[in-house]
């Protein structure tokens, strides 16, 4: 799309107006700020209407979570379970609990709780990372398991920890890259009691991977931009809005409560697992077939507006309506 993966914006297809309607979906999670993207797929928790001034595009509101995820349809991925399989030595995918597997560090002490984050280091910032260290300090015996991505950044990460408290380095462990995306997803359930989300740029695919493994994701909900509200919306749709914090302080408090209150932790985790196991009907969060139908409705509404010679307007798929300031923008279809 010219905005993600180092794309060339000026030389791409979108600026040339290759199609009469141009729509952004999921790859770049934010406004393009450009005059040649007409619509952006989102939902009303990620991009509430009162924040429409932050977008150059008109918004197509999916009824539930806007982020597509095919986890429940992929045979390579096992659904989560309420109980963990017996641990194996050496570790094999799908076995052991996070506290038994210890971020795959055999010589590590058995932790009281395992926090994880498997994002690229470029999503880290001092405020968020120091929040993670605050959490470790407030949860004795806990461990932070993070992905070594990229390896060149490890020395700087270790320096940051040492500047705070050299002793915390012994509780922050680095996980090697896993080439198989299916094994990587499964490691969430095997290695993580909870995920600590990044802010202001959340985990997106990584959040979906964790949730389908039955792993709670603690996030901050005080951002206004699209990329900072993806996990917030997911937690609301899944019925675990307790994982959404409204400040840095509340973010730390929520993570600490999750790690130190067993009944609270199991309540959250069980609710997430239950959504992934629902059948006939599937939970809307995981129902990709229903997602595709709603997505097609959004495309159809955008097209029908175009062939009626009307300017783009916000679209609410749930009511098949246009939302805007003018009378014509509020026409029901």
């Amino acid at each position: 799309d010219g905005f993600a993966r180092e794309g060339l914006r000026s030389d791409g297809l979108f600026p040339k107006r290759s199609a009469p309607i141009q729509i952004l979906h999921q790859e770049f999670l934010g406004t393009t700020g450009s005059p040649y993207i007409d619509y952006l797929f989102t939902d009303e928790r990620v991009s509430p209407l009162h924040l429409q001034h932050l977008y150059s595009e008109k918004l197509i509101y999916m009824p539930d979570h806007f982020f597509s995820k095919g986890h429940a349809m992929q045979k390579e991925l096992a659904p989560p379970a309420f109980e963990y399989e017996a641990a194996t030595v050496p570790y094999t995918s799908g076995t052991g609990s996070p506290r038994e597997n210890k971020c795959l560090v055999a010589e590590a002490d058995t932790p009281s709780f395992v926090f994880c984050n498997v994002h690229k280091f470029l999503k880290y910032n001092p405020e968020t990372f120091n929040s993670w260290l605050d959490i470790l300090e407030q949860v004795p015996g806990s461990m932070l398991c993070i992905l070594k991505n990229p390896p060149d950044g490890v020395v700087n990460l270790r320096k940051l920890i040492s500047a705070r408290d050299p002793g915390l380095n012994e509780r922050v462990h680095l996980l090697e890259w896993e080439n198989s995306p299916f094994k990587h997803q499964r490691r969430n359930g095997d290695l993580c009691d909870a995920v600590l989300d990044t802010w202001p740029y959340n985990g997106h695919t990584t959040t979906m991977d964790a949730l389908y493994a039955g792993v709670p994701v603690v996030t901050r909900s005080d951002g206004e931009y699209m990329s900072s509200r993806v996990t917030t919306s997911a937690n609301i749709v899944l019925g675990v809005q307790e994982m959404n914090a409204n400040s840095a302080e509340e973010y730390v408090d929520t993570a600490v409560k999750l790690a130190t209150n067993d009944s609270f932790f199991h309540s959250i985790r069980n609710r997430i697992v239950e959504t992934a196991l629902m059948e006939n009907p599937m939970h809307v969060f995981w129902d990709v077939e229903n997602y595709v139908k709603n997505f097609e409705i959004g495309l159809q509404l955008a097209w029908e507006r175009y062939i009626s010679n009307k300017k783009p307007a916000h679209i609410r798929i749930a009511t098949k309506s246009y939302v805007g300031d003018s009378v014509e923008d509020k026409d029901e279809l």
Side-chain angles (χ1 to χ4, degrees):
D1 57 30
F3 287 82
R5 305 182 192 278
E6 301 179 2
L8 298 176
R9 301 180 188 183
S10 60
D11 297 333
L13 293 175
F14 280 133
K16 301 182 188 304
R17 274 287 175 181
S18 304
I21 308 172
Q22 302 195 143
I23 303 174
L24 197 64
H25 174 247
Q26 197 160 306
E27 177 70 1
F28 180 77
L29 297 190
T31 184
T32 63
S34 69
Y36 45 79
I37 303 295
D38 302 300
Y39 292 99
L40 181 146
F41 272 95
T42 184
D43 65 58
E44 294 190 68
R45 293 160 298 278
V46 171
S47 309
L49 205 56
H50 73 271
L51 295 179
Q52 63 178 300
H53 62 282
L54 299 177
Y55 297 84
S56 59
E57 306 83 4
K58 294 301 181 181
L59 307 174
I60 301 179
Y61 285 131
M62 293 288 282
D64 305 298
H65 198 238
F66 83 97
F67 202 94
S68 65
K69 71 285 292 180
H71 296 70
M73 305 297 291
Q74 292 179 288
K75 296 180 180 179
E76 297 90 345
L77 297 180
F82 294 107
E83 302 295 332
Y84 296 106
E85 295 291 332
T88 59
V89 180
Y91 162 79
T92 55
S93 180
T95 65
S97 70
R99 299 172 212 188
E100 290 173 316
N101 290 325
K102 302 182 293 186
C103 197
L104 306 185
V105 182
E107 64 274 16
D109 294 333
T110 300
S112 62
F113 197 87
V114 184
F115 297 103
C116 288
N117 184 282
V118 294
H119 302 173
K120 299 175 183 177
F121 291 165
L122 61 82
K123 288 190 179 183
Y124 293 7
N125 59 40
E127 180 183 9
T128 298
F129 200 83
N130 275 301
S131 292
W132 298 352
L133 298 182
D134 289 341
I135 293 164
L136 288 181
E137 288 181 337
Q138 294 184 42
V139 182
S142 61
M143 169 189 291
L144 176 60
C145 182
I146 58 179
L147 188 64
K148 189 189 295 184
N149 187 15
D152 289 347
V154 172
V155 62
N156 293 322
L157 200 67
R158 290 297 186 190
K159 287 180 180 178
L160 178 64
I161 299 169
S162 293
R164 168 74 175 265
D165 179 354
L168 289 176
N169 267 309
E170 297 177 3
R171 295 167 59 192
V172 178
H173 298 282
L174 295 157
L175 191 61
E176 296 293 337
W177 181 263
E178 169 56 63
N179 288 325
S180 166
F182 305 115
K183 290 182 179 180
H184 175 67
Q185 186 278 333
R186 188 59 187 262
R187 290 199 305 187
N188 282 272
D190 296 347
L191 304 183
C192 309
D193 283 316
V195 166
L196 300 175
D197 202 9
T198 45
W199 189 91
Y201 199 99
N202 290 170
H204 300 146
T205 300
T206 52
T207 290
M208 307 310 134
D209 285 347
L211 291 170
Y212 195 67
V215 179
V217 182
V218 183
T219 194
R220 284 177 58 175
S221 302
D222 52 328
E224 293 187 336
Y225 297 102
M226 187 177 187
S227 60
S228 69
R229 301 181 62 83
V230 175
T231 305
T232 290
S233 179
N235 283 338
I236 292 172
V237 175
L238 289 170
V240 289
Q241 53 268 28
E242 300 98 315
M243 296 295 93
N244 295 340
N246 292 311
S247 66
E249 293 76 15
E250 190 176 325
Y251 174 83
V252 172
D253 291 343
T254 301
V256 171
K257 180 179 180 181
L258 199 65
T260 57
N261 185 324
D262 283 344
S263 61
F264 180 63
F265 169 70
H266 288 295
S267 171
I268 297 295
R269 183 178 183 275
N270 288 347
R271 271 182 270 166
I272 296 171
V273 172
E274 285 169 0
T275 67
L277 299 180
M278 285 176 61
E279 296 180 349
N280 302 317
M282 295 177 66
H283 192 282
V284 293
F285 190 79
W286 302 113
D287 189 347
V288 70
E289 183 176 341
N290 185 62
Y291 181 97
V292 170
K293 291 178 180 178
N294 285 322
F295 184 78
E296 290 174 342
I297 291 171
L299 295 177
Q300 179 183 354
L301 293 176
W303 175 250
E304 290 183 2
R305 189 166 183 87
Y306 171 77
I307 62 175
S308 299
N309 293 317
K310 294 180 179 179
K311 294 181 179 180
H314 302 309
I315 294 172
R316 184 174 285 123
I317 293 171
T319 56
K320 296 184 179 179
S321 63
Y322 301 117
V323 183
D325 297 326
S326 66
V327 173
E328 70 169 8
D329 284 346
K330 295 180 181 178
D331 290 343
E332 296 285 336
L333 295 185

